[in-house]
mmCIF file of all heavy atoms in Angstrom:
data_model
loop_
_atom_site.group_PDB
_atom_site.id
_atom_site.type_symbol
_atom_site.label_atom_id
_atom_site.label_comp_id
_atom_site.label_asym_id
_atom_site.label_seq_id
_atom_site.Cartn_x
_atom_site.Cartn_y
_atom_site.Cartn_z
ATOM 1 N N PHE B 21 -39.602 -15.372 95.772
ATOM 2 C CA PHE B 21 -38.274 -14.934 96.181
ATOM 3 C C PHE B 21 -37.233 -15.883 95.617
ATOM 4 O O PHE B 21 -37.430 -17.093 95.648
ATOM 5 C CB PHE B 21 -38.150 -14.930 97.704
ATOM 6 C CG PHE B 21 -39.046 -13.936 98.386
ATOM 7 C CD1 PHE B 21 -40.222 -14.347 98.991
ATOM 8 C CD2 PHE B 21 -38.709 -12.593 98.428
ATOM 9 C CE1 PHE B 21 -41.043 -13.432 99.635
ATOM 10 C CE2 PHE B 21 -39.529 -11.677 99.069
ATOM 11 C CZ PHE B 21 -40.702 -12.103 99.673
ATOM 12 N N GLY B 22 -36.130 -15.338 95.114
ATOM 13 C CA GLY B 22 -35.054 -16.200 94.635
ATOM 14 C C GLY B 22 -34.293 -15.549 93.505
ATOM 15 O O GLY B 22 -34.508 -14.383 93.177
ATOM 16 N N LYS B 38 -45.846 -24.931 97.017
ATOM 17 C CA LYS B 38 -44.746 -24.167 97.584
ATOM 18 C C LYS B 38 -43.543 -25.066 97.846
ATOM 19 O O LYS B 38 -42.408 -24.712 97.552
ATOM 20 C CB LYS B 38 -45.239 -23.530 98.887
ATOM 21 C CG LYS B 38 -44.248 -22.623 99.557
ATOM 22 C CD LYS B 38 -44.901 -21.813 100.676
ATOM 23 C CE LYS B 38 -43.834 -21.044 101.432
ATOM 24 N NZ LYS B 38 -44.363 -19.939 102.223
ATOM 25 N N VAL B 48 -38.644 -19.395 96.807
ATOM 26 C CA VAL B 48 -39.691 -19.419 97.827
ATOM 27 C C VAL B 48 -40.904 -18.674 97.292
ATOM 28 O O VAL B 48 -40.795 -17.530 96.860
ATOM 29 C CB VAL B 48 -39.213 -18.743 99.121
ATOM 30 C CG1 VAL B 48 -40.331 -18.721 100.150
ATOM 31 C CG2 VAL B 48 -37.999 -19.468 99.679
ATOM 32 N N VAL B 49 -42.047 -19.357 97.324
ATOM 33 C CA VAL B 49 -43.275 -18.685 96.914
ATOM 34 C C VAL B 49 -43.776 -17.876 98.107
ATOM 35 O O VAL B 49 -44.138 -18.434 99.130
ATOM 36 C CB VAL B 49 -44.349 -19.702 96.478
ATOM 37 C CG1 VAL B 49 -45.613 -18.972 96.039
ATOM 38 C CG2 VAL B 49 -43.815 -20.569 95.367
ATOM 39 N N GLY B 50 -43.748 -16.564 97.979
ATOM 40 C CA GLY B 50 -44.197 -15.685 99.064
ATOM 41 C C GLY B 50 -45.702 -15.583 99.068
ATOM 42 O O GLY B 50 -46.365 -15.940 100.037
ATOM 43 N N GLY B 68 -53.200 -14.941 109.154
ATOM 44 C CA GLY B 68 -52.589 -16.196 108.719
ATOM 45 C C GLY B 68 -51.490 -16.556 109.683
ATOM 46 O O GLY B 68 -51.052 -15.722 110.484
ATOM 47 N N LEU B 69 -51.036 -17.799 109.606
ATOM 48 C CA LEU B 69 -49.978 -18.232 110.507
ATOM 49 C C LEU B 69 -48.649 -17.674 110.034
ATOM 50 O O LEU B 69 -48.553 -17.089 108.954
ATOM 51 C CB LEU B 69 -49.939 -19.759 110.535
ATOM 52 C CG LEU B 69 -51.243 -20.401 111.021
ATOM 53 C CD1 LEU B 69 -51.144 -21.913 110.933
ATOM 54 C CD2 LEU B 69 -51.545 -19.965 112.448
ATOM 55 N N SER B 70 -47.619 -17.896 110.840
ATOM 56 C CA SER B 70 -46.289 -17.426 110.486
ATOM 57 C C SER B 70 -45.862 -18.020 109.143
ATOM 58 O O SER B 70 -46.054 -19.204 108.898
ATOM 59 C CB SER B 70 -45.314 -17.842 111.585
ATOM 60 O OG SER B 70 -44.090 -17.233 111.355
ATOM 61 N N GLY B 71 -45.319 -17.151 108.285
ATOM 62 C CA GLY B 71 -44.839 -17.635 106.994
ATOM 63 C C GLY B 71 -45.915 -17.738 105.932
ATOM 64 O O GLY B 71 -45.653 -18.180 104.822
ATOM 65 N N SER B 72 -47.130 -17.306 106.252
ATOM 66 C CA SER B 72 -48.212 -17.432 105.274
ATOM 67 C C SER B 72 -48.181 -16.329 104.226
ATOM 68 O O SER B 72 -48.938 -16.365 103.269
ATOM 69 C CB SER B 72 -49.558 -17.432 105.994
ATOM 70 O OG SER B 72 -49.691 -16.259 106.762
ATOM 71 N N GLY B 73 -47.315 -15.328 104.402
ATOM 72 C CA GLY B 73 -47.165 -14.302 103.372
ATOM 73 C C GLY B 73 -47.843 -12.986 103.697
ATOM 74 O O GLY B 73 -47.975 -12.125 102.829
ATOM 75 N N LYS B 74 -48.225 -12.790 104.963
ATOM 76 C CA LYS B 74 -48.919 -11.561 105.338
ATOM 77 C C LYS B 74 -48.038 -10.333 105.128
ATOM 78 O O LYS B 74 -48.451 -9.352 104.511
ATOM 79 C CB LYS B 74 -49.342 -11.625 106.819
ATOM 80 C CG LYS B 74 -50.118 -12.852 107.186
ATOM 81 C CD LYS B 74 -50.501 -12.868 108.655
ATOM 82 C CE LYS B 74 -49.333 -12.922 109.630
ATOM 83 N NZ LYS B 74 -48.609 -14.206 109.662
ATOM 84 N N SER B 75 -46.823 -10.394 105.668
ATOM 85 C CA SER B 75 -45.924 -9.237 105.541
ATOM 86 C C SER B 75 -45.582 -8.989 104.084
ATOM 87 O O SER B 75 -45.491 -7.841 103.645
ATOM 88 C CB SER B 75 -44.630 -9.480 106.316
ATOM 89 O OG SER B 75 -44.920 -9.620 107.676
ATOM 90 N N THR B 76 -45.400 -10.068 103.340
ATOM 91 C CA THR B 76 -45.082 -9.922 101.926
ATOM 92 C C THR B 76 -46.232 -9.196 101.225
ATOM 93 O O THR B 76 -46.007 -8.256 100.459
ATOM 94 C CB THR B 76 -44.871 -11.310 101.295
ATOM 95 O OG1 THR B 76 -43.899 -12.006 102.066
ATOM 96 C CG2 THR B 76 -44.399 -11.192 99.868
ATOM 97 N N LEU B 77 -47.439 -9.604 101.530
ATOM 98 C CA LEU B 77 -48.603 -8.995 100.880
ATOM 99 C C LEU B 77 -48.709 -7.513 101.205
ATOM 100 O O LEU B 77 -48.833 -6.670 100.317
ATOM 101 C CB LEU B 77 -49.877 -9.732 101.319
ATOM 102 C CG LEU B 77 -51.185 -9.156 100.777
ATOM 103 C CD1 LEU B 77 -51.205 -9.239 99.256
ATOM 104 C CD2 LEU B 77 -52.385 -9.892 101.352
ATOM 105 N N ILE B 85 -41.963 -4.120 98.564
ATOM 106 C CA ILE B 85 -41.663 -5.337 97.807
ATOM 107 C C ILE B 85 -42.325 -5.203 96.441
ATOM 108 O O ILE B 85 -43.467 -4.769 96.338
ATOM 109 C CB ILE B 85 -42.197 -6.589 98.540
ATOM 110 C CG1 ILE B 85 -41.456 -6.790 99.860
ATOM 111 C CG2 ILE B 85 -42.084 -7.824 97.661
ATOM 112 C CD1 ILE B 85 -41.890 -8.008 100.644
ATOM 113 N N GLN B 120 -44.212 -3.985 113.491
ATOM 114 C CA GLN B 120 -44.341 -4.909 114.623
ATOM 115 C C GLN B 120 -43.391 -4.550 115.765
ATOM 116 O O GLN B 120 -43.790 -4.498 116.909
ATOM 117 C CB GLN B 120 -44.059 -6.332 114.145
ATOM 118 C CG GLN B 120 -44.117 -7.347 115.272
ATOM 119 C CD GLN B 120 -44.136 -8.776 114.756
ATOM 120 O OE1 GLN B 120 -44.021 -9.020 113.568
ATOM 121 N NE2 GLN B 120 -44.286 -9.718 115.652
ATOM 122 N N ASP B 196 -48.468 -3.788 110.206
ATOM 123 C CA ASP B 196 -47.985 -5.167 110.146
ATOM 124 C C ASP B 196 -47.771 -5.710 111.552
ATOM 125 O O ASP B 196 -46.772 -5.419 112.185
ATOM 126 C CB ASP B 196 -46.684 -5.232 109.334
ATOM 127 C CG ASP B 196 -46.224 -6.666 109.116
ATOM 128 O OD1 ASP B 196 -46.907 -7.588 109.613
ATOM 129 O OD2 ASP B 196 -45.194 -6.864 108.453
ATOM 130 N N GLU B 197 -48.713 -6.496 112.020
ATOM 131 C CA GLU B 197 -48.653 -7.058 113.375
ATOM 132 C C GLU B 197 -48.317 -5.981 114.397
ATOM 133 O O GLU B 197 -47.486 -6.184 115.279
ATOM 134 C CB GLU B 197 -47.613 -8.181 113.441
ATOM 135 C CG GLU B 197 -47.895 -9.256 112.416
ATOM 136 C CD GLU B 197 -47.617 -10.652 112.927
ATOM 137 O OE1 GLU B 197 -47.650 -10.846 114.149
ATOM 138 O OE2 GLU B 197 -47.401 -11.545 112.103
ATOM 139 N N ILE B 228 -52.519 -6.395 109.870
ATOM 140 C CA ILE B 228 -52.083 -7.784 109.820
ATOM 141 C C ILE B 228 -52.012 -8.362 111.218
ATOM 142 O O ILE B 228 -51.587 -7.678 112.153
ATOM 143 C CB ILE B 228 -50.716 -7.850 109.138
ATOM 144 C CG1 ILE B 228 -50.956 -7.628 107.659
ATOM 145 C CG2 ILE B 228 -50.031 -9.164 109.408
ATOM 146 C CD1 ILE B 228 -49.827 -7.982 106.814
ATOM 147 N N HIS B 230 -51.870 -12.459 113.464
ATOM 148 C CA HIS B 230 -52.065 -13.900 113.414
ATOM 149 C C HIS B 230 -53.057 -14.315 114.496
ATOM 150 O O HIS B 230 -53.230 -15.479 114.787
ATOM 151 C CB HIS B 230 -50.733 -14.652 113.540
ATOM 152 C CG HIS B 230 -49.952 -14.271 114.754
ATOM 153 N ND1 HIS B 230 -48.735 -13.657 114.691
ATOM 154 C CD2 HIS B 230 -50.235 -14.393 116.054
ATOM 155 C CE1 HIS B 230 -48.305 -13.423 115.911
ATOM 156 N NE2 HIS B 230 -49.192 -13.859 116.755
HETATM 157 N N1 ATP C 1 -36.660 -11.668 101.380
HETATM 158 C C1 ATP C 1 -37.083 -12.945 101.342
HETATM 159 N N2 ATP C 1 -36.351 -13.893 100.721
HETATM 160 C C2 ATP C 1 -36.769 -15.177 100.666
HETATM 161 N N3 ATP C 1 -37.904 -15.613 101.203
HETATM 162 C C3 ATP C 1 -38.681 -14.737 101.831
HETATM 163 C C4 ATP C 1 -38.310 -13.351 101.942
HETATM 164 N N4 ATP C 1 -39.272 -12.708 102.630
HETATM 165 C C5 ATP C 1 -40.192 -13.632 102.938
HETATM 166 N N5 ATP C 1 -39.853 -14.855 102.454
HETATM 167 C C6 ATP C 1 -40.626 -16.096 102.573
HETATM 168 O O1 ATP C 1 -41.933 -15.841 102.110
HETATM 169 C C7 ATP C 1 -42.878 -16.483 102.935
HETATM 170 C C8 ATP C 1 -43.835 -15.466 103.510
HETATM 171 O O2 ATP C 1 -43.142 -14.658 104.431
HETATM 172 P P1 ATP C 1 -43.806 -13.466 105.225
HETATM 173 O O3 ATP C 1 -42.743 -12.775 105.970
HETATM 174 O O4 ATP C 1 -44.632 -12.660 104.300
HETATM 175 O O5 ATP C 1 -44.754 -14.262 106.221
HETATM 176 P P2 ATP C 1 -45.649 -13.697 107.401
HETATM 177 O O6 ATP C 1 -47.012 -14.227 107.168
HETATM 178 O O7 ATP C 1 -45.490 -12.229 107.528
HETATM 179 O O8 ATP C 1 -45.039 -14.435 108.650
HETATM 180 P P3 ATP C 1 -44.794 -13.906 110.140
HETATM 181 O O9 ATP C 1 -46.077 -14.077 110.864
HETATM 182 O O10 ATP C 1 -43.739 -14.819 110.652
HETATM 183 O O11 ATP C 1 -44.343 -12.476 110.057
HETATM 184 C C9 ATP C 1 -42.096 -17.242 103.979
HETATM 185 O O12 ATP C 1 -41.979 -18.577 103.530
HETATM 186 C C10 ATP C 1 -40.762 -16.572 104.002
HETATM 187 O O13 ATP C 1 -39.748 -17.473 104.332
#
Side-chain angles (χ1 to χ4, degrees):
Chain B
F21 295 102
K38 184 168 173 162
V48 178
V49 181
L69 300 176
S70 189
S72 57
K74 307 180 296 289
S75 297
T76 306
L77 177 62
I85 294 181
Q120 178 168 5
D196 186 359
E197 304 218 24
I228 286 194
H230 55 244

